[in-house]
Amino acid sequence: MTEHGPPPGAAAHDEGVRLRTAAVVGTGLIGTSVALALSARGVVTYLLDRDPATARTAASLGAGLAAFPPAPVDLAVLAMPPSKIAGALVEYQRAGLAEHFTDVGSVKVPAELAMRTADCDLSRYVGGHPMAGREQSGPLAADAGLFRGRPWVLTPSERTGGTVVELARQLIELCGACPVTMPAELHDRTVALTSHAPHLVSALIAGRLAQADDQQLRLAGRGLRDVTRIALGDPELWSDILRSNATAVLEVLREVADDLAVAVAALDWLGDLDPDLRRRGEEELRALLAAGVTGRGRLAERSPAQV
Amino acid sequence: MTEHGPPPGAAAHDEGVRLRTAAVVGTGLIGTSVALALSARGVVTYLLDRDPATARTAASLGAGLAAFPPAPVDLAVLAMPPSKIAGALVEYQRAGLAEHFTDVGSVKVPAELAMRTADCDLSRYVGGHPMAGREQSGPLAADAGLFRGRPWVLTPSERTGGTVVELARQLIELCGACPVTMPAELHDRTVALTSHAPHLVSALIAGRLAQADDQQLRLAGRGLRDVTRIALGDPELWSDILRSNATAVLEVLREVADDLAVAVAALDWLGDLDPDLRRRGEEELRALLAAGVTGRGRLAERSPAQV
């Protein structure tokens, strides 16, 4: 950070705004990781959690001070399941925790709708979502480097003021992440496709293993481990996320269910006496597998080093 | 390997049998990896492939000699898609390629049924399946260490002789893998659950990405990469595997489809006006996620270092 003033001609919202003090509400994995990154970069950071012991644990890791700030901080980061964010904004705007607010919730539209109903000051709030996480939860799993190089979505609305966006950008930069701005609706549809629906399907595959016997599990390889790893995520948090984004997740899941029905029919046809049906089964199956290679290839293209 | 004779009292099938010469038919990823491991441990290994250039590529990597052996080798390893194995056994038993045969196919029952119909010498054959692989294919992706520490299933039948089992065990040991003996039926049901059905579902999730736009894919994280990684597997090989194990895979996929229908209904109920239905939706969702944690936890238990 520089101690100079803004260059002449800088946009109005840029003028003199510097993120010097922050609060993190909710010191789980993501909140504590944010706080660790901010504290490491010299931002005075206060830590709040509905469970004070959790905030003290985060403080003991060097994430900040487990206390309500003596004066409103520049920016508060609400780090809690999506369904809790609007209520927390109401509560902490009233309590004067911070001048400006953002959050790290995985779903944006329902929280913003609830905020509008609750008559929050939306000029001082911008929705955010860092695209990073781990299947572990809690402050002890936190990592100041969790967001490094990852996209961090901001979803400003027509009511969002310039100052809170600038502060949120500084937050993102201090965490080493890359800001991406998009409408809340597009964000929610996107994460339904890239995160929420895959999470649920991964959980369904993992659920099939609950009844398997040890001899069967002994044959499991890295493929199965990878497919099911995210299924270890906290069911409470994930049911909140899926609930909050139900409409968009449903859309993707219905498409997956349709494809699955095609796959089941195709496998069924393979055992049919009619050679035309057998051939059609083979073609359908190969087409589904080929679409998978194409889709996965698009991920690999975007970041070949991480295939 | 020792140069001493067998200890007195060793089982009949053990007597003096040593794997000194081998042939690998099919020099793709798995076949070439086997051949590299055998050659490195001093077994004279011959390489055959329907595409002679592929066998020569494997030979150039040090996997062995790209030629038909001058006299029958001790053990031939058939390394090809499951539907080709029975035909290859007929062909190469007739041609006198080897005294004994095994294979590395992912599905065991249909191949063995076909062998019985074709009247092969089943006393000199034992089904095998190393539980290792990569999403890449071909000899250039091969690795002598691919099987190290991995289970390698053998599925002897009542017709299988002792000598071929002993030779296959030596093959497994030379590859650094761990032999696991189980009936062919149990093997096929197990891999349907731990590998084949997860592969297809992973391909369906990956297929959903084929139509996504770049901005959406930019938000994809490690979770999605892991869930869809195996979808990069060769569609030709995988459609053969799924076709060969269709009945067992169908059984798992139908269970997954049932769970998916429950998930879709649960998400749908969350938006219902009836609070009882909303509550039931939440409960169903949480139960599916919790079953996923339990099932995945069982994998982690078995090998905590590889979570």
Side-chain angles (χ1 to χ4, degrees), chain A residues 212 226 228-229 236 286 298, chain B residues 212 226 229 236 286 298:
Chain A
D226 282 357
T228 56
R229 189 180 54 77
E236 284 305 311
R286 210 175 287 123
R298 293 196 61 206
Chain B
D226 282 357
R229 190 181 52 78
E236 283 304 312
R286 210 174 288 124
R298 294 195 62 205

Side-chain angles (χ1 to χ4, degrees), chain A residues 50-77:
Chain A
R50 60 183 178 174
D51 172 13
T54 303
R56 285 196 299 271
T57 300
S60 74
L61 297 169
L65 305 157
F68 200 96
V73 295
D74 299 329
L75 183 70
V77 181

Side-chain angles (χ1 to χ4, degrees), chain A:
Chain A
M1 280 185 297
T2 168
E3 291 302 309
H4 305 300
H13 68 258
D14 223 351
E15 254 175 283
V17 178
R18 285 292 174 269
L19 178 54
R20 293 199 170 91
T21 58
V24 169
V25 185
T27 50
L29 167 72
I30 300 291
T32 304
S33 296
V34 169
L36 284 169
L38 292 179
S39 291
R41 299 289 300 269
V43 177
V44 178
T45 304
Y46 296 86
L47 307 169
L48 302 173
D49 197 282
R50 60 183 178 174
D51 172 13
T54 303
R56 285 196 299 271
T57 300
S60 74
L61 297 169
L65 305 157
F68 200 96
V73 295
D74 299 329
L75 183 70
V77 181
L78 306 175
M80 53 196 63
S83 71
K84 309 287 184 201
I85 288 167
L89 184 66
V90 172
E91 178 184 344
Y92 288 106
Q93 279 194 334
R94 277 196 198 131
L97 173 65
E99 299 287 352
H100 299 88
F101 289 81
T102 187
D103 74 293
V104 295
S106 310
V107 189
K108 309 288 14 141
V109 171
E112 182 134 353
L113 286 176
M115 287 169 195
R116 286 174 188 235
T117 311
D119 206 23
C120 298
D121 180 356
L122 284 176
S123 70
R124 292 163 173 270
Y125 162 80
V126 64
H129 182 204
M131 306 309 298
R134 308 179 63 177
E135 59 277 17
Q136 294 93 331
S137 52
L140 294 171
D143 171 8
L146 188 65
F147 311 106
R148 209 168 290 145
R150 299 294 309 147
W152 185 315
V153 179
L154 292 178
T155 57
S157 73
E158 82 291 351
R159 298 212 203 162
T160 308
T163 307
V164 67
V165 171
E166 176 54 30
L167 287 168
R169 287 185 165 271
Q170 291 181 22
L171 164 73
I172 294 168
E173 196 206 310
L174 291 167
C175 289
C178 311
V180 176
T181 299
M182 61 169 70
E185 294 76 13
L186 177 59
H187 168 273
D188 287 3
R189 267 188 288 123
T190 298
V191 291
L193 178 71
T194 61
S195 168
H196 303 171
H199 187 99
L200 188 53
V201 174
S202 171
L204 297 186
I205 292 289
R208 289 283 111 224
L209 306 175
Q211 312 302 328
D213 65 40
D214 279 352
Q215 197 182 11
Q216 292 190 296
L217 293 179
R218 206 174 149 192
L219 300 197
R222 185 184 150 209
L224 184 64
R225 281 173 192 284
D226 282 357
V227 171
T228 56
R229 189 180 54 77
I230 56 175
L232 283 171
D234 176 21
E236 284 305 311
L237 171 62
W238 276 94
S239 76
D240 192 304
I241 291 171
L242 293 168
R243 209 161 60 221
S244 301
N245 205 17
T247 310
V249 173
L250 261 177
E251 201 173 303
V252 181
L253 285 186
R254 285 193 171 117
E255 291 169 342
V256 173
D258 288 348
D259 288 348
L260 186 52
V262 171
V264 165
L267 284 169
D268 218 11
W269 290 337
L270 293 174
D272 203 277
L273 286 176
D274 178 352
D276 284 345
L277 220 45
R278 286 207 303 276
R279 195 174 320 118
R280 197 173 145 200
E282 284 181 30
E283 280 165 12
E284 296 270 23
L285 202 55
R286 210 175 287 123
L288 288 172
L289 293 169
V293 173
T294 304
R296 185 52 170 79
R298 293 196 61 206
L299 278 190
E301 270 164 34
R302 294 211 55 82
S303 182
Q306 291 178 37
V307 168

Side-chain angles (χ1 to χ4, degrees), chain B:
Chain B
M1 279 185 297
T2 167
E3 290 301 311
H4 304 299
H13 68 259
D14 222 353
E15 254 175 284
V17 178
R18 286 292 174 269
L19 179 53
R20 293 200 167 91
T21 58
V24 169
V25 185
T27 51
L29 167 71
I30 300 290
T32 305
S33 296
V34 169
L36 284 169
L38 291 179
S39 291
R41 299 289 299 270
V43 176
V44 178
T45 303
Y46 295 87
L47 308 168
L48 302 173
D49 197 281
R50 58 182 178 176
D51 173 12
T54 304
R56 285 196 298 271
T57 300
S60 74
L61 298 167
L65 306 157
F68 199 94
V73 294
D74 298 330
L75 183 70
V77 181
L78 306 175
M80 53 195 65
S83 71
K84 308 288 184 203
I85 288 167
L89 184 65
V90 172
E91 178 184 345
Y92 289 106
Q93 279 194 333
R94 276 196 200 133
L97 173 65
E99 300 286 351
H100 299 89
F101 289 80
T102 186
D103 73 293
V104 295
S106 308
V107 189
K108 309 278 36 126
V109 171
E112 180 133 354
L113 286 177
M115 288 169 194
R116 285 174 189 237
T117 309
D119 205 25
C120 298
D121 181 355
L122 284 176
S123 70
R124 291 163 174 272
Y125 163 80
V126 64
H129 183 204
M131 306 309 298
R134 308 179 64 178
E135 59 276 18
Q136 295 95 330
S137 52
L140 293 171
D143 171 7
L146 188 65
F147 311 105
R148 209 168 288 145
R150 298 294 308 147
W152 186 315
V153 179
L154 291 179
T155 57
S157 73
E158 82 290 352
R159 297 212 204 164
T160 308
T163 307
V164 67
V165 171
E166 175 54 31
L167 288 168
R169 288 187 164 268
Q170 291 180 23
L171 163 74
I172 294 170
E173 196 206 310
L174 291 167
C175 288
C178 311
V180 176
T181 299
M182 62 169 69
E185 295 76 13
L186 177 60
H187 167 274
D188 287 3
R189 268 188 286 124
T190 297
V191 292
L193 177 71
T194 61
S195 167
H196 304 171
H199 186 98
L200 189 53
V201 173
S202 172
L204 297 185
I205 292 288
R208 290 283 112 224
L209 306 174
Q211 311 302 329
D213 65 38
D214 279 352
Q215 197 181 12
Q216 294 190 294
L217 293 180
R218 206 176 148 190
L219 300 195
R222 184 185 151 208
L224 185 65
R225 280 174 192 283
D226 282 357
V227 171
T228 55
R229 190 181 52 78
I230 55 174
L232 283 172
D234 176 21
E236 283 304 312
L237 171 63
W238 276 95
S239 76
D240 193 303
I241 292 171
L242 294 168
R243 209 160 60 219
S244 301
N245 205 18
T247 309
V249 173
L250 262 177
E251 201 174 304
V252 181
L253 284 186
R254 286 193 170 117
E255 291 170 340
V256 173
D258 288 349
D259 288 348
L260 186 54
V262 171
V264 166
L267 285 168
D268 217 13
W269 290 337
L270 293 174
D272 203 277
L273 287 175
D274 178 351
D276 284 344
L277 220 45
R278 286 207 302 278
R279 196 172 321 118
R280 197 173 144 198
E282 285 182 29
E283 282 166 10
E284 297 269 23
L285 203 54
R286 210 174 288 124
L288 288 173
L289 293 169
V293 173
T294 304
R296 185 53 169 79
R298 294 195 62 205
L299 278 190
E301 271 164 34
R302 291 212 55 82
S303 182
Q306 293 179 36
V307 169

